[in-house]
Amino acid sequence: MAQCLAFMLLFLISSLISTVGLPVEPPAELLQLGDVAGSGGRLLSVDASDLHEAARDFGGVARAEPPVAVFQPRGAGDVAALLRAAHGSERGFRVSARGHGHSISGQAQAPGGVVVDMSHGPGAAAARAGAPAPAYSAALGGHYVDVWGGDLWIDVLNWTLSHGGLAPRSWTDYLYLSVGGTLSNAGISGQAFHHGPQISNVYELDVVTGKGEVVTCSETENPELFFGALGGLGQFGIITRARIALERAPQRVRWIRALYSNFTEFTADQERLISLGAGVRRFDYVEGFVVAAEGLINNWRSSFFSPQNPVKLSSLKHQTGVLYCLEVTKNYDDDTAASVDQDVDALLGELNFLPGTVFTTDLPYVDFLDRVHKAELKLRAKGMWEVPHPWLNLFVPASRIADFDRGVFRGILGGRTASAGGPILIYPMNKHKWDPRSSVVTPDEEVFYLVAFLRSALPGAPESLGTEALARQNQLILDFCAEAGIGAKQYLPNHKAQEEWVEHFGAARWERFARLKAEYDPRAILATGQGIFPPPGSPAIVSDL
């Protein structure tokens, strides 16, 4: 049956894309394609609403012709059949996996090709019948769970919590992202200093390569594909299964924020906190963000403070310009609740924040992890979520972070971070927690910072906070980093030409990356929205800007 599916897709889609130009109406053959897998329902959709949805992403700044079809697989075999058809077709056609559509620069788009809607498949981890429960492996030294690449992390969390009170060790700030999507990038949050990114917490993958082969890989089995796919931007295959490392989930979280006016003290404290080793008192999460003295500490990332008692930074009348907010948490359970105050007080007592600017709250562990989604619901209600998001994410080496502060926060932004259009995150990580065999590119220093400009072009905002203005500001930041020799690397990278990608990777890493591409996706049909390798002949993604 899988061979029959591959043949039908090969015939139908190859004949479609060989037509000069994209057809206004889909061909009758695609409309008639039904239950080719024999398991009920339809695998290939050419419905206009599905095509429109597949041609957009969260970033909202890249436009593309829609795909000719959206593929809705029920398992790895279906994905393999599609990719065998694409690989074997006369001209080849683009195939991109799409999870929750949260890419920011059209990375998951496939104009003139096929988008694989990974939200289908076996189904959400928390809902599907017969889903694998968490298990323990003595060989691995811990618990794990096998999940579908299109599962959302929120569903994985709910599933593992309901089966033994377990949870993945490493997170992103937002849980409504697909497993395959974050593992194709890195997956980072405030736990990364301790556990490493999400790609450092995976034991095994099933990857469907660009040749349509289903390959199980791990550190010991097909390791080149395993580490290549982790952070590989979807270039070598589509992740259909991941074996995720788990730990015992805490019950509650003490969530703390403190303010700084001195950038050197702020980063010194952050770096000290992430240097504390196992077996000593330490926080479980370390992040930070940039604010301004005339604004509010509150932003869309959380509902940290009570609406009845908003924290106005203008009350710090002796402070002007840029301020920095340290954000940390301490996990605890009922049996450790008695000591959490002592632990937190001891840790805070060694820090150099502004006196009187410590704010705390306690909440369930799940509520903390899912904090951004609660803010999302509020913004959706106001029509402020599905707007352009010209984001820029950078890894900045610790040795140059003070230069970055002077040149960007106090220079390009001119201290006006309160009106920058969204939160600006800044927090350090330890490079030794990142496996150098993965495809992710980080600065060549042990400590480096994520600096994330998570801005939104909101309706009715002044022109200076419009999509084009924020994009120009992003380019100014990139130009400054290049001219000043900061040595920053883009996270969730968006480069416009292969020469830029070569520079991004560096010669040695690029040679390996290109070799893996030639081995596992020789026709360059996968994830062409990344713009890394020349795709099969079809319309290119362009920017609206």
Side-chain angles (χ1 to χ4, degrees), residues 42 113 161 259 432:
R42 185 179 294 271
L161 283 174
L259 300 178
H432 71 271

Side-chain angles (χ1 to χ4, degrees), residues 175-352:
L175 304 187
Y176 286 73
L177 304 173
S178 68
V179 170
T182 66
L183 296 183
S184 295
N185 288 280
I188 55 175
S189 184
Q191 303 90 358
F193 80 93
H194 176 38
H195 292 297
Q198 290 181 318
I199 59 172
S200 294
N201 293 274
V202 182
Y203 294 129
E204 188 175 276
L205 298 174
D206 282 346
V207 178
V208 183
T209 72
K211 296 185 287 189
E213 300 168 340
V214 182
V215 181
T216 297
C217 51
S218 67
E219 185 174 8
T220 57
E221 182 180 6
N222 300 306
E224 276 214 317
L225 180 59
F226 178 69
F227 289 110
L230 293 172
L233 305 174
Q235 293 303 300
F236 314 124
I238 295 175
I239 297 172
T240 56
R241 178 185 65 89
R243 178 163 289 180
I244 306 297
L246 304 176
E247 66 177 1
R248 189 70 56 188
Q251 294 172 314
R252 295 189 63 80
V253 168
R254 173 71 53 83
W255 187 8
I256 305 149
R257 285 177 174 172
L259 300 178
Y260 292 72
S261 61
N262 185 297
F263 186 74
T264 300
E265 292 179 345
F266 169 69
T267 54
D269 280 355
Q270 282 191 317
E271 291 180 32
R272 180 185 178 279
L273 290 175
I274 71 165
S275 72
L276 300 176
V280 301
R281 182 184 282 137
R282 66 180 174 186
F283 287 118
D284 298 291
Y285 161 102
V286 177
E287 284 199 12
F289 54 95
V290 187
V291 290
E294 71 273 13
L296 292 174
I297 194 171
N298 301 56
N299 58 55
W300 66 265
R301 294 184 68 235
S302 72
S303 53
F304 187 77
F305 298 104
S306 166
Q308 289 75 36
N309 186 31
V311 178
K312 289 185 177 295
L313 301 190
S314 58
S315 63
L316 304 171
K317 298 187 182 301
H318 60 289
Q319 300 296 339
T320 60
V322 180
L323 293 176
Y324 311 93
C325 183
L326 173 68
E327 183 174 47
V328 294
T329 68
K330 183 67 179 174
N331 300 336
Y332 64 97
D333 301 306
D334 290 341
D335 57 351
T336 58
S339 63
V340 69
D341 289 341
Q342 179 181 354
D343 291 344
V344 168
D345 288 345
L347 287 165
L348 292 180
E350 299 178 359
L351 304 180
N352 294 298

Side-chain angles (χ1 to χ4, degrees), residues 329-411:
T329 68
K330 183 67 179 174
N331 300 336
Y332 64 97
D333 301 306
D334 290 341
D335 57 351
T336 58
S339 63
V340 69
D341 289 341
Q342 179 181 354
D343 291 344
V344 168
D345 288 345
L347 287 165
L348 292 180
E350 299 178 359
L351 304 180
N352 294 298
F353 50 81
L354 293 170
T357 65
V358 174
F359 309 96
T360 68
T361 188
D362 287 71
L363 70 170
Y365 180 64
V366 175
D367 289 357
F368 172 73
L369 292 180
D370 202 28
R371 61 199 180 280
V372 175
H373 180 58
K374 294 180 179 179
E376 173 192 350
L377 296 177
K378 295 179 181 178
L379 289 177
R380 283 189 180 276
K382 298 176 181 179
M384 297 170 61
W385 182 258
E386 294 185 357
V387 299
H389 299 92
W391 287 6
L392 176 65
N393 296 269
L394 299 174
F395 289 146
V396 179
S399 67
R400 301 303 303 276
I401 195 66
D403 297 325
F404 189 92
D405 172 58
R406 287 188 291 270
V408 177
F409 300 147
R410 300 176 185 274

